[in-house]
Amino acid sequence: MSPLACLSGPQEPVDYNAAVADGISAEDSEQAVFISLRRQPCSPDAQTWIAELLDSTVLPAGKIPKRPSSHLKAGKALGALMADLLDLQGGRKEGGLPLCGSHGMSPRDFPSQALGFGYDIFCPVVEALSAAGFLTMAQGKPRWSTWTGQGGADVISTRGRVTRFRLTCRALESAEAHGIAVADWQRHWGRTEPSVPLVPAKAPRIVLHGKRVRQGAKKPPAPNLPVDMAHPAVRRFSEDLEALNDYLTRQSISGFAFAGLRRIWNNGDQPGFAWQWGGRYASLPGGDAYENMSAERRLERIRINGSAVAEVDIRACHLTLLYGLLSEPLDAERDPYEVEGLPRVVVKAWVGQALGASKVDFIRWSKEAKDKYSAAFPARHLSSDFKARDFGRLVLKVHPVLERLDEGELDSVSLMFHEAEVLSSAMLQLRLGDVAALPIHDGLIVGLEHARAARTAMAVAFAERLRTLTDSEPTALPAFKVDTAVAMHKNDD
């Protein structure tokens, strides 16, 4: 098998050498995945490869102290980095290169008691790999901010950017020469258990971002904002998270490094903010961002208390919420994206863009819509095949409710909050029945045997949310999609 076989597929092949030589693009950086550095080689092939790479490349660079203990730590740093970056080779973006790994590069980002090595060891390891042509890197930049009050004019902030990494073709060829194939990654690497908690107690569980504002052709990351932990809503969210994390960290969750959950709110610098925008769940830094993995990878890898898992998603969650909040009826038995005479993928893309932009009169397709269309129909172009405004008129005949997006708080960040609160309520109900669940935006990951219970809990939570917000019986109830690893393979066939 070619070392670049993981890059083949229905899309046009990617010139990996040329692309890596060009460095890590801004788009790559936006989609980079945090690497936890929590795995070590467990197969003889992987252990031999890391030992040889250490002796031939890292130690001869002369930047690691000659003490045996330092050499041991360098081996751990090398093994952990290679494990995570090889893992990302299997998580290829649609039609492009594998995802980059990202990690902070300050001493506090390397708790040596938990990782087995510290900042002083990791830095010379990556420098040696980069100099030898095994690694391409994009240096991060520090975060800075000032804050004088709750107002856009008072905030000067940047989120900065952590350092990003990607393996070169030379590294992939070296791994394969030692019998390590990307497709068989799990056989060669295992998770290590820390002797102390991986995530410090100070790691924020409640995160507040400002509004993302486009600057010309670019839309920089939203600034981080301070959080008033004494605010009643924040206290409630914090207490819920503490209880949820306490429960989940006592379960056996494998297949990725789980460090706990946080919640991220948006638009905190906008007038009227009252913790009602955003609030989605995300992994705590220090663990693997399982929510950024593909559904296929999650289903293949994750185990909860020894059980294979199912993903139970609310179908068309934001659209269903919109119907319910406006007290409009929606047939749960009918796929809302099935419109006679129109490609389903385009209908879904148009509805998603309308909900995200909180308007229906847009004339240009978003990049996300174009990418999804190209993935479904290679060599076709969405803008050429369908005009956004004309296509929208056809969709609005089926879903006229979308024309009411300007009524009250019905924008995407408001719908995100309702979605997250539904999941929060459902997870609480499941937890009371001793059922562990991991949130994934519009759904839950549970053990296979608990898929029905998860559907029931989310249905009840969804209805109760609408009942509370509208003070009436819900007119729109959700349908669900349940995915398993077996079902995914059947779909591939």
Side-chain angles (χ1 to χ4, degrees):
M1 180 189 296
S2 163
L4 302 185
C6 61
L7 300 180
S8 62
Q11 300 85 8
E12 291 296 318
V14 176
D15 187 340
Y16 191 88
N17 278 309
V20 172
D22 287 340
I24 296 174
S25 69
E27 181 183 355
D28 290 335
S29 296
E30 284 292 325
Q31 301 182 35
V33 175
F34 174 82
I35 52 176
S36 64
L37 304 175
R38 292 284 292 104
R39 301 180 178 97
Q40 287 295 319
C42 62
S43 73
D45 288 338
Q47 290 168 346
T48 298
W49 181 50
I50 293 301
E52 290 184 5
L53 198 57
L54 180 69
D55 290 339
S56 65
T57 303
V58 175
L59 296 181
K63 295 185 178 181
I64 301 290
K66 295 184 179 181
R67 296 187 299 272
S69 61
S70 296
H71 291 185
L72 178 63
K73 292 176 182 178
K76 289 183 178 180
L78 177 61
L81 178 63
M82 288 302 188
D84 285 349
L85 294 184
L86 278 172
D87 183 17
L88 291 178
Q89 293 292 318
R92 179 193 177 199
K93 297 184 295 184
E94 289 290 346
L97 293 170
L99 295 167
C100 293
S102 66
H103 200 280
M105 290 296 286
S106 67
R108 68 174 179 274
D109 295 315
F110 296 89
S112 58
Q113 285 184 292
L115 296 176
F117 56 89
Y119 169 84
D120 59 327
I121 295 293
F122 187 80
C123 285
V125 168
V126 297
E127 288 173 9
L129 291 174
S130 181
F134 286 92
L135 189 70
T136 185
M137 293 173 53
Q139 292 291 342
K141 62 180 182 179
R143 182 181 68 193
W144 59 272
S145 63
T146 62
W147 173 264
T148 58
Q150 184 94 3
D154 298 326
V155 181
I156 304 173
S157 175
T158 176
R159 290 175 62 188
R161 180 164 284 166
V162 294
T163 300
R164 285 84 67 206
F165 308 92
R166 181 185 277 144
L167 294 179
T168 63
C169 193
R170 182 182 182 187
L172 299 179
E173 290 170 344
S174 176
E176 184 164 283
H178 286 78
I180 303 165
V182 170
D184 199 20
W185 175 89
Q186 280 191 291
R187 184 171 69 83
H188 299 284
W189 310 95
R191 180 182 174 187
T192 59
E193 294 298 330
S195 57
V196 297
L198 186 62
V199 180
K202 292 182 179 179
R205 272 63 171 171
I206 305 295
V207 179
L208 179 60
H209 291 165
K211 183 179 179 65
R212 291 189 71 182
V213 179
R214 185 173 297 280
Q215 296 178 5
K218 297 182 178 180
K219 200 171 186 180
N224 277 345
L225 304 178
V227 175
D228 178 8
M229 297 303 296
H231 190 286
V234 176
R235 285 204 305 269
R236 176 175 74 84
F237 299 138
S238 182
E239 290 169 0
D240 289 346
L241 270 174
E242 184 178 355
L244 177 60
N245 280 327
D246 178 67
Y247 176 76
L248 290 176
T249 52
R250 287 187 281 109
Q251 311 305 305
S252 174
I253 299 175
S254 60
F256 71 102
F258 180 69
L261 298 168
R262 56 181 173 162
R263 290 183 69 177
I264 302 174
W265 273 261
N266 307 96
N267 295 358
D269 53 2
Q270 298 303 296
F273 176 77
W275 296 97
Q276 80 281 37
W277 296 328
R280 272 185 167 173
Y281 287 88
S283 297
L284 274 169
D288 291 330
Y290 70 92
E291 66 274 16
N292 292 337
M293 296 178 184
S294 67
E296 292 83 357
R297 295 177 77 209
R298 286 193 294 258
L299 293 169
E300 288 281 358
R301 294 186 176 188
I302 295 178
R303 297 293 182 268
I304 297 179
N305 293 324
S307 173
V309 297
E311 288 197 9
V312 186
D313 298 324
I314 301 173
R315 189 177 69 186
C317 183
H318 284 195
L319 183 59
T320 306
L321 277 168
L322 181 66
Y323 270 88
L325 292 169
L326 292 173
S327 298
E328 295 286 349
L330 178 67
D331 182 3
E333 298 301 318
R334 173 175 154 268
D335 184 345
Y337 301 131
E338 290 288 353
V339 176
E340 186 176 356
L342 302 181
R344 184 183 186 278
V345 66
V346 187
V347 174
K348 184 176 181 181
W350 190 91
V351 171
Q353 187 170 336
L355 289 168
S358 300
K359 62 180 182 179
V360 298
D361 59 349
F362 55 89
I363 61 174
R364 294 183 180 85
W365 292 103
S366 67
K367 183 181 183 303
E368 182 181 6
K370 293 177 182 177
D371 289 345
K372 288 182 178 179
Y373 186 73
S374 296
F377 303 100
R380 300 283 295 274
H381 300 284
L382 180 57
S383 298
S384 300
D385 292 350
F386 300 99
K387 301 300 181 185
R389 179 170 287 175
D390 294 341
F391 193 89
R393 292 191 185 103
L394 299 176
V395 177
L396 289 172
K397 291 179 180 179
V398 180
H399 296 297
V401 69
L402 288 164
E403 295 187 276
R404 299 174 60 187
L405 279 170
D406 59 351
E407 295 184 19
E409 292 194 346
L410 298 173
D411 56 4
S412 61
V413 287
S414 298
L415 296 174
M416 278 183 197
F417 178 67
H418 299 315
E419 171 189 77
E421 288 296 276
V422 168
L423 296 188
S424 180
S425 179
M427 286 189 289
L428 174 59
Q429 293 305 312
L430 290 169
R431 194 160 76 243
L432 293 175
D434 200 19
V435 175
L438 296 170
I440 44 166
H441 299 329
D442 60 357
L444 297 175
I445 300 174
V446 295
L448 279 173
E449 68 275 20
H450 299 305
R452 183 182 295 273
R455 286 183 59 168
T456 300
M458 282 194 284
V460 170
F462 197 100
E464 185 57 33
R465 183 72 183 169
L466 290 179
R467 197 174 288 119
T468 300
L469 293 170
T470 64
D471 197 27
S472 61
E473 285 303 304
T475 58
L477 294 176
F480 296 90
K481 180 169 69 77
V482 180
D483 283 327
T484 65
V486 173
M488 285 286 185
H489 287 310
K490 286 183 178 178
N491 290 338
D492 291 341
D493 297 339

